[in-house]
């Protein structure tokens, strides 16, 4: 959805690096747990890590990461304390290249030395293993099939609790075993005839990735200053056990968290909540664009790949915080400058008092596939951007939200609010009900479109559905507010309005209006009900 620009803008700059070491704090549920160690390498060094063989350094790989760049036999880097006993170590791991067949990257626990420890491996042969190494001799304790692709980030965890061992890949298999070879020891990362990056490494002294949710749920605290259970949002998400059935609230203290965050489909019932109640106090942001080159040279991120936050889980909620993409358009000349703050592919999602900041393609309500519906409810939210800044195939209701168009410097075309790609088998796409459509300073009158129909890859079955009803429209909205896109006519889409007000709402021949009878079938409840009768509307 590219449009040439005559104006460029950047968001506030990223925050300084996160603290490297966090010493524990109690969970609000009263569970006894502490974070023993975290390192996201944003300080640019590997202080506290001891490398053995290989070539270890901190490099940029999306964010700063620890990299082993020599394709040698058995390269390791270790950290932590020999006195640690029961804990979970979690890390993001990206194999970059395998030098031959049956090679691996690994995460270590209860390390005794460079030749004795427990570990989990991702092998180039698409195998995930739970193993132990004793004086250089390895034993496989459990194994499972897993897709292993060079250039892809994986989140691995390894739990050691008494004689119980558990290893997992986020979104993939979990392995368990019983072994009493080692009772205490530190952590580590390793490669075997492979190169790899390692990031966001954390150690929690609970015997599981995070306190298991009790019947009343669990609260995990994130704080940049080390006063919580984690210093990064992704580490807190990593700490939630896969398959959780109770709500886990990740309570986030004030700060700007410059990180990429993914909530995987295997972790439903997660809530992000800013602690102050003021959405501006907690900002989760990153700055990739569609045209940003990947550090490993494998191409660019693409539109969805640019997302600062991706929510694949069902029943996610967010409240009192900000999601942003801070890509600096003025500093780059990419052909593709789409820069997404949030992509959602889960179902039954709620956003309450949340801000979404960006320029082109700010917010993408989507779904797992064109045949699956993903519903999201945005209440009292703020969304800003310029070109197609609310786009995708999802079903989304914006209720009492401010939708703000930014200034692109054009007197005739300051962009498009929406670019829906609703499947023709999906009845409901985007609804804006009792919203305010506003414009930034300098935006020319009658210069912003309400939307245009996006047909991804020329998909003729993507028949956009968008309704603005009972909303106040500023003077920036064009009197003929719908536009064609990529050779597809807006008149073939399902675009309509109902009972809008304000200087930008004047009805013309190019503004399809619903009747009162038709509007009764296009309420927020109708959009969100689905087959399960979901109704998050207060």
């Amino acid at each position: 959805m590219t449009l040439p620009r005559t104006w460029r803008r950047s968001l506030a700059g990223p925050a300084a690096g996160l603290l490297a070491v966090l010493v524990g704090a109690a969970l609000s549920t009263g569970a006894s747990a502490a974070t023993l160690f975290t390192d996201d390498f944003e300080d640019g060094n590997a202080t506290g890590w001891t490398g053995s063989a290989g070539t270890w350094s901190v490099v940029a790989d999306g964010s700063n990461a620890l990299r082993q760049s020599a394709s040698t036999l058995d390269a390791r880097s270790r950290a932590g304390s020999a006195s640690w006993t029961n804990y979970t170590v979690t890390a993001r791991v990206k194999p970059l290249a395998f030098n031959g067949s049956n090679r691996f990257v690994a995460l270590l626990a209860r390390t005794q030395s460079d030749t004795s420890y427990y570990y989990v491996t991702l092998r180039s042969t698409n195998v995930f293993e739970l193993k132990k190494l004793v004086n250089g001799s390895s034993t496989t304790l459990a194994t499972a099939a897993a897709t292993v692709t060079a250039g892809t980030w994986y989140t691995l965890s390894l739990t050691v609790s008494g004689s119980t061992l558990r290893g997992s890949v986020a979104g993939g298999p979990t392995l368990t075993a019983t072994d009493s070879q080692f009772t205490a020891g530190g952590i580590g990362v390793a490669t075997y005839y492979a190169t790899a990056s390692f990031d966001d490494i954390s150690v929690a002294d609970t015997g599981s990735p995070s306190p298991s949710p009790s019947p009343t749920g669990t609260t995990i605290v994130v704080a940049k200053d080390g006063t919580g259970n984690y210093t990064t949002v992704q580490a807190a998400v990593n700490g939630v056990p896969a398959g959780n059935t109770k709500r886990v609230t990740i309570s986030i203290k004030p700060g700007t968290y410059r990180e990429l965050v993914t909530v995987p489909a295997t972790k439903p019932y997660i809530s992000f909540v800013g602690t102050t109640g003021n959405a501006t106090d907690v900002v989760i942001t990153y700055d990739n664009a569609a045209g940003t080159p990947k550090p490993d040279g494998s191409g660019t991120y693409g539109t969805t790949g640019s997302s600062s936050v991706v929510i694949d889980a069902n029943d996610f909620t967010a409240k009192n915080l900000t999601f942003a993409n801070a890509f600096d358009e003025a500093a780059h000349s990419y052909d593709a400058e789409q820069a997404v703050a949030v992509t959602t592919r889960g179902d039954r999602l709620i956003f309450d008092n949340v801000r979404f900041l960006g320029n082109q393609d700010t917010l993408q309500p989507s779904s797992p596939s064109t045949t699956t519906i993903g519903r999201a409810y945005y209440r009292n939210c703020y969304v800003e951007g310029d070109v197609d800044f609310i786009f995708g195939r999802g079903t989304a209701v914006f209720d009492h939200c401010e939708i703000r168009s930014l200034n692109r410097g054009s007197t005739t075309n300051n962009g498009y609010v929406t670019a829906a790609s609703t499947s023709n088998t999906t009845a409901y796409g985007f609804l804006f009900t009792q919203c305010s459509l506003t414009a930034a300073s300098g935006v020319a009158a009658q210069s912003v479109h309400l939307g245009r129909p996006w047909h991804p890859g020329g998909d003729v079955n993507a028949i956009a559905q968008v309704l603005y009803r009972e909303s106040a429209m500023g003077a920036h909205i064009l009197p003929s507010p719908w536009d064609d896109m990529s050779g597809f006519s807006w008149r073939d889409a399902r675009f309509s309005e109902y009972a809008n007000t304000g200087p930008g709402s004047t009805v013309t021949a190019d503004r399809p209006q619903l009747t009162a009878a038709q509007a009764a079938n296009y309420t927020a409840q109708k959009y969100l009900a689905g087959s399960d009768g979901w109704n998050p509307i207060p």
Side-chain angles (χ1 to χ4, degrees):
M1 291 175 292
T2 302
L3 189 72
R5 295 184 179 276
T6 57
W7 180 88
R8 298 177 182 271
R9 170 185 178 273
S10 64
L11 299 173
L18 300 173
L19 292 175
V21 179
L22 167 64
V23 180
L27 291 176
S28 65
T29 56
S32 176
T35 300
L36 301 174
F37 176 90
T38 66
D39 201 341
D40 61 8
F41 305 103
E42 287 305 304
D43 56 6
N45 63 60
T47 301
W49 291 87
T50 301
S52 172
T55 302
W56 297 91
S57 61
V58 175
V59 300
D61 193 347
S63 62
N64 282 350
L66 180 64
R67 176 170 294 177
Q68 200 292 103
S69 56
S71 297
T72 57
L73 171 72
D74 291 335
R76 309 172 185 87
S77 188
R78 298 190 289 120
S81 169
S83 65
W84 288 348
T85 55
N86 300 325
Y87 61 84
T88 293
V89 54
T90 302
R92 292 199 308 133
V93 179
K94 180 200 280 188
L96 298 173
F98 295 105
N99 183 20
S101 62
N102 203 26
R103 310 314 196 190
F104 67 75
V105 295
L107 178 65
L108 322 181
R110 285 188 182 164
T111 60
Q112 313 296 300
S113 66
D114 287 333
T115 58
S116 296
Y117 44 77
Y118 293 118
Y119 61 120
V120 289
T121 74
L122 287 173
R123 282 194 181 270
S124 59
T125 50
N126 293 319
V127 172
F128 178 54
E129 299 170 303
L130 175 58
K131 301 171 70 71
K132 69 176 178 180
L133 190 71
V134 181
N135 295 325
S137 178
S138 66
T139 301
T140 300
L141 304 174
T143 185
T147 301
V148 181
T149 304
T152 299
W153 283 105
Y154 298 89
T155 298
L156 302 184
S157 69
L158 177 54
T159 296
V160 284
S161 181
S163 61
T164 300
L165 312 176
R166 183 171 69 252
S168 67
V169 183
T174 296
L175 302 175
T176 59
T178 300
D179 190 87
S180 56
Q181 184 76 46
F182 309 122
T183 59
I187 62 167
V189 293
T191 61
Y192 176 75
Y193 287 111
T195 58
S197 292
F198 303 89
D199 202 359
D200 299 325
I201 301 171
S202 64
V203 182
D205 75 349
T206 61
S208 61
S210 102
S212 297
S214 68
T216 57
T218 296
T219 297
I220 300 171
V221 178
V222 175
K224 287 173 62 66
D225 61 4
T227 59
N229 306 107
Y230 297 96
T231 58
T232 69
V233 178
Q234 187 62 57
V237 172
N238 294 346
V240 177
N244 52 297
T245 59
K246 299 295 181 181
R247 175 72 51 189
V248 178
T249 298
I250 297 177
S251 183
I252 308 172
K253 291 189 176 183
T256 297
Y257 296 82
R258 185 181 182 274
E259 54 178 304
L260 297 170
V261 176
T262 296
V263 183
T266 56
K267 298 187 179 185
Y269 307 111
I270 287 178
S271 294
F272 289 178
V273 180
T275 59
T276 68
N278 187 341
T280 64
D281 291 341
V282 174
V283 180
I284 302 171
T285 183
Y286 210 74
D287 56 2
N288 284 334
T292 301
K294 292 182 178 180
D296 61 4
S298 61
T300 57
Y301 284 99
T303 299
T304 298
S306 75
S307 303
S308 300
V309 177
V310 176
I311 300 163
D312 285 322
N314 292 343
D315 300 291
F316 172 89
T317 70
K319 186 174 183 178
N320 304 332
L321 50 79
T322 296
F323 297 115
N325 190 311
F327 172 65
D328 186 351
E329 295 174 343
H332 300 86
S333 297
Y334 298 149
D335 290 334
E337 294 189 334
Q338 300 91 335
V340 183
V342 175
T343 291
T344 69
R345 292 187 288 237
D347 191 29
R348 297 184 300 272
L349 314 180
I350 299 174
F351 299 87
D352 187 358
N353 188 32
V354 174
R355 300 191 308 153
F356 301 87
L357 309 183
N359 289 114
Q360 182 172 353
D361 292 10
T362 303
L363 173 61
Q364 181 179 200
S366 190
S367 67
S369 70
T370 57
T371 59
T372 305
I373 295 175
R375 296 164 292 174
Y377 178 51
Y378 302 83
R379 178 174 57 228
N380 300 318
C381 291
Y382 171 91
V383 188
E384 72 172 27
D386 46 35
V387 177
D388 307 329
F389 61 95
I390 301 173
F391 73 105
R393 64 172 175 250
T395 296
V397 171
F398 297 86
D399 185 356
H400 288 84
C401 296
E402 180 180 357
I403 311 300
R404 191 166 183 82
S405 293
L406 301 179
N407 190 356
R408 299 184 63 251
S410 172
T411 59
T412 58
N413 187 352
N414 263 299
Y416 309 85
V417 176
T418 67
S421 58
T422 325
S423 173
N424 61 356
T425 59
T426 301
Y428 300 113
F430 298 163
L431 169 64
F432 299 84
T433 178
Q434 300 186 71
C435 292
S436 297
L437 275 64
T438 64
S441 176
V443 173
Q446 300 185 1
S447 66
V448 174
H449 297 83
L450 291 178
R452 54 182 182 169
W454 181 33
H455 292 256
D459 182 4
V460 296
N461 295 316
I463 309 299
Q465 196 282 321
V466 180
L467 168 62
Y468 294 84
R469 64 175 294 162
E470 300 167 298
S471 293
M473 297 185 173
H476 60 295
I477 300 300
L478 281 154
S480 296
W482 306 103
D483 201 9
D484 302 338
M485 185 176 188
S486 302
F488 290 92
S489 172
W490 72 264
R491 297 181 188 278
D492 296 327
R494 294 171 284 174
F495 292 154
S496 57
E497 299 179 68
Y498 177 73
N500 294 315
T501 60
S505 67
T506 302
V507 177
T508 69
D510 286 333
R511 302 184 77 150
Q513 304 288 314
L514 297 185
T515 65
Q518 290 171 327
N521 291 317
Y522 288 89
T523 64
Q525 289 88 346
K526 295 280 189 180
Y527 271 72
L528 298 175
S531 60
D532 57 6
W534 185 51
N535 184 12
I537 303 165

